[in-house]
Amino acid sequence: MNAQSNEQSRETNDGLDLADYSAVALIAAYRAGRLEPVRVTEAVLARIARCEPQLQALYAFDAEAARAQARASAARWQAGAPLSIRLGGQDLTLDGVPLTLKENIATAGTPMPLGTAASELTLASEDAPPAARLKELGAVLLAKTTMPDYGMLSSGLSSFHPLTRNPWDLSKNPGGSSSGAAAAAAAGYGPLHLGTDIGGSVRLPAAWCGVFTLKPSLGRVPIKPPYAGRVAGPMTRTVADAALMMAALARPDWRDGMSLPHQQIDWLSLCGARPLDAASAAERLQGLRIGLLMDAGWGLRVEPEIAAAVEAAAALFAAHGAQIERLAPGSLCTRAMMDGLDAFWRMRSWLDISALPAERRERVLPYIRAWVDRGERLSAAELFHGYSQIAAIRDRCIAACQPYDYVLSPVSPVSAFPAAWASPINDPERPFEHIAFTLPYNMSEQPAASINCGYTAAGFPIGLQIAGRRHDDLGVLRVAQAYETLRGPQRAWPAPGLR
């Protein structure tokens, strides 16, 4: 087959490359017999072959395993028996849809380095709950995605993985710690990607790469290992695809002792064959009471271009009947609270890293080692005070959000930063200046999404954060989808024309 026919095989009659199809569209096409998983998987593999040498977003990539999964899926569709479950009177399936998983989400038989060269590469013995739920529905696992050392950076910098870059500009960082997942989503490595978040690790890279993500309520998606603030969340190009993933992920698994009781949530109501129309989108916003936080009270100043884009998004909400009220600086979390939590996290990480043999300890990224060193000097009182800030931030954030249906803010105060930096200011003594808008919602256990709301003059995406009350994950998705419908056309995705 020549190059021209190869290109044609990756496109459909609408001229859209199959690598850029949404999961919702793929499933509809599979059901109708218009497409089959082998052709789709080959299109995504072709995209990866073109872009991955520049992006370096993947780990444990196995094209032949993906092809084998696609062939098995095609046979199931041909037999009229795709892998599925019955959910709310509908059949839920992901059979044949390309997928990536962040490398700290265990998959049986694959080592899990946690982004650091200090790890010993032992094979995972089982699939973690999110991986199991997605595999059960037939998703085609292409690869794992990269992350920084221990997930402790908002960066694509790692001592184990090659430097992951931002598809919008290869000189820029994709963010982290779900760095590879965000880059893969923006570049069109298939429609479904899963990251994890404990302080902004899906929302920050989603904002800097222009994709959509939901940080769910704590416990909504069972995960292993669970701990305070840690969640797994979908990273996709559309809200509907994120809702589809949530339908698959938000199912019980006894291995997560912090998981929420199972609820019948109508995730699939956002996944209709027809896009949401403007009238219905406007109706979702009518009468909502919206908080607007433009100054977190600590951390980096919000860049003027980002402030203008978020203010414009709030104005759009107001134009469609929402009531906007500004929150005071520091409403969600104070500098003192963050400093205490920083001390606790340094101690926790210092205990882990200092327990390593010296030779392995030296392999940890120098930025991380510099950050944890102060943990050795912390007193028991300082440690206890730091740990207590989890509850203090939770209580303050929940109280601040209680008067509102949803709260809007920037995701990040700054736009994408140099690719080789560990953070937007690259200073281990000030590591969290950029997470003032995202961190509080991890500690408060509230759902929070990032959706693109504009571009800087240099062409970099800007993320709008939409946060809801605890456990109102579906509501956050509904509002995000309404904004997605009303915000207007977006710029073309950066792949396949990476520069």
Side-chain angles (χ1 to χ4, degrees):
M1 185 178 287
N2 61 34
Q4 183 177 5
S5 57
N6 265 323
E7 289 296 331
Q8 289 173 346
S9 72
R10 293 198 295 266
E11 294 184 357
T12 57
N13 291 335
D14 59 8
L16 185 65
D17 191 310
L18 289 174
D20 296 315
Y21 262 56
S22 71
V24 170
L26 286 177
I27 291 166
Y30 293 162
R31 284 187 170 132
R34 297 192 304 271
L35 289 174
E36 56 83 29
V38 173
R39 184 182 170 199
V40 172
T41 299
E42 288 296 342
V44 175
L45 293 177
R47 176 68 58 81
I48 291 170
R50 187 183 309 138
C51 299
E52 183 58 10
Q54 301 170 76
L55 287 187
Q56 299 291 320
L58 302 183
Y59 163 70
F61 172 52
D62 190 338
E64 291 310 310
R67 289 185 172 105
Q69 294 171 60
R71 289 192 295 270
S73 174
R76 290 190 293 268
W77 280 106
Q78 184 68 28
L83 295 175
S84 64
I85 60 170
R86 197 71 176 162
L87 188 69
Q90 300 183 64
D91 288 327
L92 168 65
T93 183
L94 298 175
D95 213 338
V97 178
L99 166 77
T100 73
L101 298 171
K102 190 175 178 180
E103 63 106 313
N104 65 346
I105 298 170
T107 51
T110 302
M112 193 167 63
L114 301 177
T116 179
S119 291
E120 294 183 311
L121 298 181
T122 57
L123 302 183
S125 61
E126 63 179 0
D127 290 333
R133 299 295 84 77
L134 296 165
K135 285 185 177 182
E136 287 164 2
L137 294 176
V140 174
L141 178 59
L142 301 164
K144 309 298 282 292
T145 50
T146 59
M147 60 182 282
D149 292 53
Y150 302 110
M152 291 307 299
L153 299 178
S154 299
S155 172
L157 182 65
S158 162
S159 64
F160 179 85
H161 300 293
L163 179 63
T164 304
R165 296 177 180 273
N166 191 316
W168 292 90
D169 183 331
L170 297 174
S171 73
K172 299 298 184 182
N173 205 293
S177 62
S178 302
S179 46
Y189 290 12
L192 301 183
H193 309 271
L194 188 67
T196 62
D197 189 314
I198 195 172
S201 286
V202 295
R203 287 159 291 160
L204 289 162
W208 289 321
C209 290
V211 301
F212 179 77
T213 193
L214 173 70
K215 181 207 79 68
S217 300
L218 184 72
R220 177 68 70 205
V221 175
I223 194 169
K224 182 181 179 181
Y227 46 82
R230 185 178 190 232
V231 300
M235 304 182 75
T236 61
R237 287 181 170 185
T238 68
V239 176
D241 276 2
L244 185 67
M245 285 189 81
M246 287 300 296
L249 293 164
R251 294 186 286 139
D253 195 302
W254 66 267
R255 292 175 291 172
D256 183 351
M258 300 174 72
S259 60
L260 296 171
H262 181 63
Q263 290 179 265
Q264 293 293 333
I265 298 175
D266 193 8
W267 307 106
L268 297 182
S269 64
L270 304 184
C271 306
R274 296 180 182 175
L276 184 70
D277 61 67
S280 299
E283 188 176 347
R284 289 186 187 177
L285 304 184
Q286 182 70 39
L288 291 180
R289 189 172 184 190
I290 302 290
L292 177 61
L293 180 66
M294 295 302 301
D295 183 347
W298 60 276
L300 297 174
R301 284 181 174 272
V302 178
E303 291 176 351
E305 289 179 305
I306 292 175
V310 174
E311 292 277 7
L316 184 149
F317 275 70
H320 290 88
Q323 304 171 47
I324 308 295
E325 183 177 323
R326 292 179 182 272
L327 276 73
S331 294
L332 308 185
C333 174
T334 67
R335 164 63 76 181
M337 290 174 177
M338 183 62 242
D339 287 345
L341 188 61
D342 179 18
F344 169 68
W345 278 349
R346 288 187 198 228
M347 171 63 86
R348 186 191 68 180
S349 296
W350 178 79
L351 290 171
D352 290 340
I353 293 172
S354 66
L356 296 173
E359 188 270 334
R360 287 173 56 198
R361 191 163 58 243
E362 288 302 310
R363 298 179 197 167
V364 176
L365 202 68
Y367 182 103
I368 298 292
R369 295 204 311 270
W371 173 67
V372 304
D373 276 351
R374 190 160 63 86
E376 184 178 12
R377 303 187 296 275
L378 293 171
S379 67
E382 288 173 313
L383 177 61
F384 178 81
H385 173 75
Y387 176 74
S388 71
Q389 299 315 297
I390 295 175
I393 296 170
R394 182 186 64 223
D395 292 348
R396 185 181 184 90
C397 187
I398 289 174
C401 295
Q402 185 58 33
Y404 308 104
D405 297 302
Y406 303 96
V407 174
L408 306 181
S409 73
V411 174
S412 166
V414 296
S415 55
F417 54 96
W421 284 15
S423 77
I425 58 174
N426 208 31
D427 180 358
E429 286 307 310
R430 301 172 63 214
F432 301 131
E433 300 302 294
H434 58 289
I435 66 171
F437 290 104
T438 55
L439 168 85
Y441 296 118
N442 292 84
M443 302 302 104
S444 68
E445 307 175 10
Q446 294 170 251
S450 174
I451 188 167
N452 195 59
C453 68
Y455 304 87
T456 68
F460 301 125
I462 297 170
L464 169 70
Q465 184 168 237
I466 304 172
R469 293 174 180 163
R470 291 175 73 213
H471 309 152
D472 187 23
D473 303 72
L474 183 63
V476 169
L477 288 176
R478 283 176 54 82
V479 169
Q481 191 177 51
Y483 176 72
E484 178 184 54
T485 300
L486 297 168
R487 70 184 173 181
Q490 300 292 284
R491 296 184 183 180
W493 291 102
L498 294 180
R499 57 191 187 278

